[in-house]
């Protein structure tokens, strides 16, 4: 599990593997996770790397540690929590959530979205979906794409109304792009649930929401997708890792 150039650090890859195993139910009913020594031998990693992976999972609330006994998966459904520190982390939301398409991609005029996508035309593609963790819907997202981007996926079955899948939209989109997605500019604000959001998330109109806007860009700085998400705060905990620059 030695990272290649550009690959995620080994501790983050291991944390993702353990997170997926927990989501699959491998450690339910009080079963103990493997020890640092056992994971070090299994994956060929140093004890320090394994320890860092465990530290991330503890910080997320995915596991807890009992001195003298070991590390255990946190029981119960509680809020959905993901630690985000990279584009890969956003793509890996598909590891333990399900996407349900609420409205198929539609070509339309949208002055605001086109402006935020930095387009020289007012035509964009728009679609909407919600995501579930286990059986609980916790976020509704609307995305807008430039015309040339939307045409790449508009006919795919995964984006048709009513379709469910384990994809994220950027994970579905990126294999068709000429250049990889390298940046997500993000803003977080508080908003109220409008009638459409309230219906899709089974909450009251006006319910406080966490609104997250992300503008994804490719390696040449071209906007690829604008995504506006409304999260239920009681079913979602947002955590971001900030790292000091090494330059």
């Amino acid at each position: 599990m030695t990272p290649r150039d550009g690959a995620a650090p080994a501790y983050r890859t291991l944390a993702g593997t353990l997170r997926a195993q927990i989501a699959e139910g491998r450690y339910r009913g009080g079963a103990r996770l493997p020890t640092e020594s056992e994971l070090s031998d299994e994956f060929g990693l140093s004890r320090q790397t394994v320890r860092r992976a465990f530290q991330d999972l503890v910080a997320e609330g995915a596991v807890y540690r009992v001195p003298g006994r070991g590390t255990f998966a946190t029981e119960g459904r509680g809020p959905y929590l993901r630690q985000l520190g990279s584009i890969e982390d956003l793509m890996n939301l598909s590891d333990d959530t399900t996407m349900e398409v609420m409205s198929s991609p539609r070509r339309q005029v949208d002055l605001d979205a086109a402006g935020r996508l930095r387009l020289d035309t007012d035509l964009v593609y728009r679609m909407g979906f919600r995501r579930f963790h286990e059986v609980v819907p916790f976020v509704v997202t609307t995305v807008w794409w430039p015309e040339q981007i939307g045409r790449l996926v508009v006919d795919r079955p995964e984006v048709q109304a009513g379709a469910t899948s384990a994809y994220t939209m950027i994970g579905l989109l990126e294999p068709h792009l000429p250049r990889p997605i390298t940046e997500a500019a993000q803003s977080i604000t508080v908003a109220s649930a409008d009638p459409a959001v309230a219906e899709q998330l089974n909450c009251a109109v006006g319910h406080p929401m966490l609104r997250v806007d992300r503008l994804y860009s490719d390696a040449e700085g071209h906007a690829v997708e604008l995504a506006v998400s409304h999260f239920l705060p009681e079913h979602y905990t947002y955590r971001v890792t900030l790292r000091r620059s090494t330059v």
Side-chain angles (χ1 to χ4, degrees):
M1 198 176 287
T2 301
R4 304 179 303 276
D5 290 344
Y11 76 86
R12 192 178 297 165
T13 302
L14 176 59
T17 298
L18 294 174
R19 191 184 295 114
Q21 292 175 349
I22 291 168
E24 293 166 359
R26 185 174 300 190
Y27 302 110
R28 286 180 181 164
R32 178 182 59 81
L33 272 71
T35 65
E36 290 179 3
S37 178
E38 290 167 341
L39 289 170
S40 178
D41 291 342
E42 180 180 354
F43 291 98
L45 299 171
S46 69
R47 291 280 294 274
Q48 183 179 1
T49 297
V50 176
R51 188 172 300 119
R52 176 67 188 275
F54 271 143
Q55 289 171 349
D56 278 11
L57 293 174
V58 169
E60 293 175 13
V63 303
Y64 63 95
R65 312 193 80 170
V66 180
R69 291 186 54 205
T71 304
F72 301 84
T74 302
E75 298 283 353
R77 285 184 176 169
Y80 177 65
L81 188 153
R82 287 301 300 267
Q83 179 126 333
L84 303 176
S86 67
I87 297 295
E88 289 78 12
D89 290 339
L90 293 173
M91 290 183 175
N92 288 338
L93 287 174
S94 58
D95 287 348
D96 51 7
T97 68
T98 301
M99 177 178 72
E100 179 187 16
V101 178
M102 308 304 293
S103 59
S104 303
R106 183 164 61 91
R107 186 172 177 265
Q108 63 181 57
V109 172
D110 191 315
L111 299 179
D112 180 66
R116 296 181 67 182
L117 287 164
R118 307 188 295 268
L119 304 179
D120 56 9
T121 174
D122 297 329
L123 287 169
V124 296
Y125 275 91
R126 178 186 186 274
M127 71 167 288
F129 58 89
R130 61 180 175 174
R131 298 198 76 85
F132 291 78
H133 175 52
E134 296 180 337
V135 296
V136 178
F138 67 94
V139 59
V140 170
T141 300
T142 303
V143 298
W144 293 264
W145 304 308
E147 273 196 283
Q148 70 273 19
I149 301 296
R151 285 195 293 265
L152 298 175
V153 295
V154 66
D155 294 324
R156 289 188 62 97
E158 296 91 348
V159 301
Q160 305 310 310
T164 59
S165 70
Y167 283 102
T168 60
M169 280 315 307
I170 57 173
L172 181 67
L173 192 63
E174 191 176 54
H176 304 282
L177 299 177
R179 293 169 295 274
I181 296 170
T182 58
E183 180 181 281
Q186 176 173 278
S187 65
I188 303 175
T189 56
V190 176
S192 299
D194 63 23
V197 168
E199 180 180 3
Q200 292 172 25
L201 294 180
N202 303 319
C203 67
V205 174
H207 186 80
M209 310 295 294
L210 182 68
R211 172 173 166 160
V212 179
D213 292 33
R214 293 193 185 108
L215 180 65
Y216 296 93
S217 301
D218 66 18
E220 291 190 356
H222 300 298
V224 169
E225 177 182 286
L226 170 65
V228 176
S229 299
H230 289 81
F231 292 87
L232 274 174
E234 61 267 40
H235 289 302
Y236 184 78
T237 299
Y238 188 88
R239 190 190 304 275
V240 176
T241 299
L242 301 177
R243 298 182 176 87
R244 185 182 293 274
S245 172
T246 57
V247 178

